[in-house]
């Protein structure tokens, strides 16, 4: 029993150096990266007004591809720091933490610089960098602890963010290098009100970090991840449908907040929802940043 459990999810030591480079690659992770990039391109090139196959492709990619990107960021972070799992002195882990921190700072500065060029899309890099820095203490936590934390974080963090935010779901201008002079404003934007609010999205990276500790060459692991992902995605969608339909949430939103309901139906969400009604947390639309959105897209990422 112990042996089987270890083959499914291990905090293993690195593969032997003599192993061929081709076998070092985790093909499933590489393919998932390709799917994430293709999905991001699809979501930004096509329009939410598209119909037919183009409209279906947009609906499939929107929200799910960015979530997959974030989960894979956690997987990559885990693979990058895997050397710290083996019995090693504090100097090895300190060096790995420093390398991650330096990379995060550089990625964050690049993201702020790109945002200052006023691109037509939302730049995720600064949010991703902050999430990496926040994950530094958790890099070598046991995979079960990471998995449980992710399972709690994804549905509960959006509720905390909902309480902490006020006003309409307006991400405003993307933060650029000029915002470094007002660090509290930058931190609030990245954590709560931006296009990819880290308070909620950190759950994706926690999930990816937990996945990285599993044996990703195991077919049993693949089936478990796919099964769990399918269940999560279906459960999130079904829960949202019930809450907004038979439970009366949709009617309550239209009665109390009809203008915002019409606006989001036409324009979509940009990372957050209005804070005028708790029923907004039942919405499962792409980039709504709600429990249903985060859990559902985390499930689709697991499935991929």
């Amino acid at each position: 029993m112990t042996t089987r459990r270890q083959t499914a999810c291990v905090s293993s030591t690195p593969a032997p150096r003599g192993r061929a480079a081709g076998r070092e690659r985790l093909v499933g992770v590489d393919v998932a990266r390709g799917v994430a990039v293709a999905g991001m391109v699809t979501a930004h090139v096509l329009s939410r007004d598209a119909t037919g196959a183009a409209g279906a492709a947009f609906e499939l990619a929107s929200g799910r591809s960015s979530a997959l990107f974030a989960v894979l960021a956690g997987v990559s972070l885990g693979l990058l720091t895997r050397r710290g799992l083996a019995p090693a002195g504090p100097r090895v882990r300190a060096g790995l933490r420093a390398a991650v921190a330096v990379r995060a700072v550089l990625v964050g500065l690049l993201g702020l610089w790109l945002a200052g060029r006023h691109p037509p899309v939302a730049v995720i890099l600064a949010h991703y960098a902050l999430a990496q820095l926040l994950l530094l203490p958790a890099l070598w936590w046991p995979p079960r602890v990471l998995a449980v934390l992710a399972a709690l974080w994804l549905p509960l963090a959006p509720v905390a963010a909902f309480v902490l935010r006020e006003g309409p779901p307006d991400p405003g201008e993307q933060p650029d290098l000029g915002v470094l002079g007002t660090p509290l404003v930058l931190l609030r934007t990245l954590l709560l009100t931006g296009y990819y609010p880290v308070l909620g999205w950190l759950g994706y990276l926690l999930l990816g970090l937990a996945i990285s500790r599993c044996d990703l060459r195991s077919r049993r692991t693949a089936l478990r991840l796919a099964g769990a992902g399918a269940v999560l995605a279906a459960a999130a969608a079904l829960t949202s449908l019930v809450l907004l339909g038979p439970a009366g949430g949709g009617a309550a939103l239209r009665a109390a907040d009809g203008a915002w309901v019409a606006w989001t139906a036409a324009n979509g969400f940009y990372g957050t929802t209005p804070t005028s009604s708790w029923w907004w947390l039942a919405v499962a639309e792409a980039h709504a940043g709600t429990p249903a959105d985060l859990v559902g897209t985390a499930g689709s990422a697991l499935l991929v």
Side-chain angles (χ1 to χ4, degrees):
M1 184 67 107
T2 303
T3 303
R4 289 183 180 179
R5 192 171 295 168
Q6 287 176 345
T7 58
C9 197
V10 292
S11 55
S12 64
T13 55
R17 293 184 179 180
R19 182 176 291 178
R23 295 181 63 190
E24 291 284 349
R25 303 299 307 180
L26 293 168
V27 178
V29 175
D30 288 337
V31 173
R33 289 192 182 108
V35 171
V37 172
M40 295 284 273
V41 172
T42 300
H44 286 99
V45 170
L46 298 179
S47 166
R48 65 182 291 110
D49 299 323
T51 58
F58 176 85
E59 289 298 327
L60 183 63
S62 183
R64 295 183 179 89
S65 54
S66 52
L68 177 58
F69 181 89
V71 171
L72 286 168
V75 174
S76 298
L77 188 61
L79 296 177
L80 182 70
T81 58
R82 205 173 180 93
R83 187 161 57 94
L85 292 169
R91 184 176 299 180
V92 173
R93 290 192 171 185
L96 289 171
R97 280 198 177 98
V100 170
V102 169
R103 189 175 78 157
V105 169
L106 293 176
V107 166
L109 291 174
L110 175 61
L112 295 176
W113 179 83
L114 287 172
R117 307 303 98 194
H118 306 292
V121 297
V123 181
I124 195 174
L125 295 181
H127 303 262
Y128 169 45
L130 177 59
Q132 281 195 73
L133 292 174
L134 293 176
L135 275 181
L136 286 177
L139 288 178
W140 299 287
W141 288 359
R144 286 187 179 180
V145 173
L146 291 168
V148 170
L149 186 57
L152 295 173
W153 197 284
L154 287 164
L156 296 181
V159 179
F162 186 89
V163 172
L164 293 172
R165 285 188 298 108
E166 292 180 0
D170 182 12
E173 291 291 328
Q174 296 190 72
D176 56 20
L177 292 173
V179 187
L180 290 174
T182 53
L184 291 181
V185 173
L186 175 61
L187 192 62
R188 176 177 173 79
T189 301
L190 296 180
L191 277 175
L192 287 175
T193 63
Y195 287 93
Y196 308 99
V198 172
L199 184 57
W201 280 60
L202 190 63
Y204 289 138
L205 277 83
L206 283 167
L207 179 61
L209 192 58
I211 292 170
S212 75
R213 302 311 183 207
C214 297
D215 181 4
L216 296 178
R217 292 185 176 87
S218 164
R219 180 168 296 183
R220 176 178 296 179
T221 299
L223 291 173
R224 287 178 175 176
L225 292 178
V231 169
L232 285 176
L238 181 60
T239 300
S240 177
L241 285 173
V242 170
L243 289 175
L244 295 178
L253 279 178
R254 287 188 293 272
D257 222 358
W260 272 117
V261 171
W263 191 92
T264 54
N267 299 283
F269 292 88
Y270 295 95
T272 59
T273 66
T275 57
S276 50
S277 170
W278 284 94
W279 283 112
W280 282 110
L281 290 175
V283 172
E285 299 297 324
H287 294 295
T290 61
D293 172 31
L294 296 190
V295 172
T297 51
S300 65
L302 277 176
L303 183 57
V304 175

